[in-house]
Amino acid sequence: MTDTAPRAATRSRENTRARLLDAAAEVFAEVGLDAASVEAVCERAGFTRGAFYSNFETKDELFLELCGRVAGERVAAVKARVAELEAGGEFALDPTDPFQIVQQVLDVSADDRLSVLLMSEIRNHALRVPALAAAYLAQEEELVLGVTQIIDDIARAKGIGFRVSSAQAARLLLTTWEDVSVRATMAGLDHKALSRRTSEEIAKVAQLIIEPHAT
């Protein structure tokens, strides 16, 4: 019984942080980090400045945590999709067709416009702030590791090999994903069209790095 109050306080704090992060994602994507004020984030989340500073020391700290959350959600979505396809036996079809592989895996994981804007803002801000750049690069390495594991899982499930290492493949695919998402968003494509464009371009890269089976 004595643990009830601390657990409730922890849940309340976690909920507050989550709402602040959600609000910050919207505000940062809309106006950029420099133009976004703590007050604007708090107003969007429905909290006071006191609630903000009881959870984050600075706006950059909030920004960095948001960066990690977005990257983690990307990897988690793709991992879940791979596990779903593997469990359902859907990977058994046409094992070396990169277009089908990518379309299957990215079916639920393409970025929306808000995510693209946010990730672009994160990268641009990291270019200007050395301390944030170091943290951003560290988180990017974690993202590469996550995608590398996904590639290894797909290779095992599909029985395919690659012309480059899994880590190199992960970097190539992530770079393509970022570039295509940004350009498609600039072109004003809706989510469905953005997903299709992303799948097509990543599949082209996958086709280049998948080792063809000997005939």
Side-chain angles (χ1 to χ4, degrees):
M1 295 294 291
T2 58
D3 291 338
T4 302
R7 284 201 301 269
T10 298
R11 285 195 299 270
S12 177
R13 181 179 177 82
E14 290 174 349
N15 180 61
T16 298
R17 288 179 71 89
R19 286 174 59 184
L20 285 167
L21 287 165
D22 289 341
E26 296 175 2
V27 176
F28 290 164
E30 290 169 5
V31 302
L33 179 63
D34 292 336
S37 65
V38 170
E39 289 79 5
V41 172
C42 291
E43 182 178 354
R44 184 71 61 93
F47 292 123
T48 64
R49 286 172 59 91
F52 181 93
Y53 286 112
S54 68
N55 285 274
F56 302 99
E57 291 187 5
T58 64
K59 190 169 63 172
D60 275 354
E61 182 186 340
L62 168 64
F63 193 63
L64 186 59
E65 183 167 332
L66 185 60
C67 172
R69 188 176 77 164
V70 171
E73 287 174 349
R74 279 181 165 186
V75 174
V78 178
K79 280 185 176 179
R81 182 61 175 163
V82 170
E84 176 188 344
L85 292 169
E86 194 169 4
E90 296 179 58
F91 268 157
L93 301 174
D94 203 1
T96 58
D97 180 356
F99 286 91
Q100 184 170 341
I101 294 171
V102 171
Q103 287 170 353
Q104 285 177 317
V105 171
L106 293 186
D107 182 52
V108 296
S109 60
D111 292 328
D112 58 20
R113 184 175 183 276
L114 178 62
S115 296
V116 174
L117 290 171
L118 178 60
M119 291 306 294
S120 295
E121 179 62 22
I122 288 170
R123 184 169 52 251
N124 290 339
H125 191 64
L127 283 169
R128 298 190 296 269
V129 182
L132 185 61
Y136 174 84
L137 290 173
Q139 289 188 343
E140 187 178 66
E141 285 302 311
E142 292 183 11
L143 179 60
V144 170
L145 287 174
V147 175
T148 298
Q149 182 59 58
I150 291 170
I151 289 173
D152 287 337
D153 290 343
I154 293 174
R156 184 191 67 253
K158 303 288 286 183
I160 59 179
F162 296 92
R163 300 176 187 270
V164 297
S165 70
S166 298
Q168 290 172 323
R171 292 186 185 280
L172 286 169
L173 295 175
L174 282 170
T175 298
T176 302
W177 188 341
E178 293 285 350
D179 180 70
V180 175
S181 296
V182 169
R183 292 178 182 278
T185 300
M186 287 181 178
L189 300 186
D190 61 21
H191 185 262
K192 183 177 181 180
L194 190 154
S195 299
R196 183 171 59 252
R197 178 76 60 82
T198 302
S199 296
E200 289 172 351
E201 295 303 317
I202 292 180
K204 291 176 183 177
V205 176
Q207 194 169 37
L208 293 174
I209 63 178
I210 288 177
E211 190 70 55
H213 284 212
T215 56

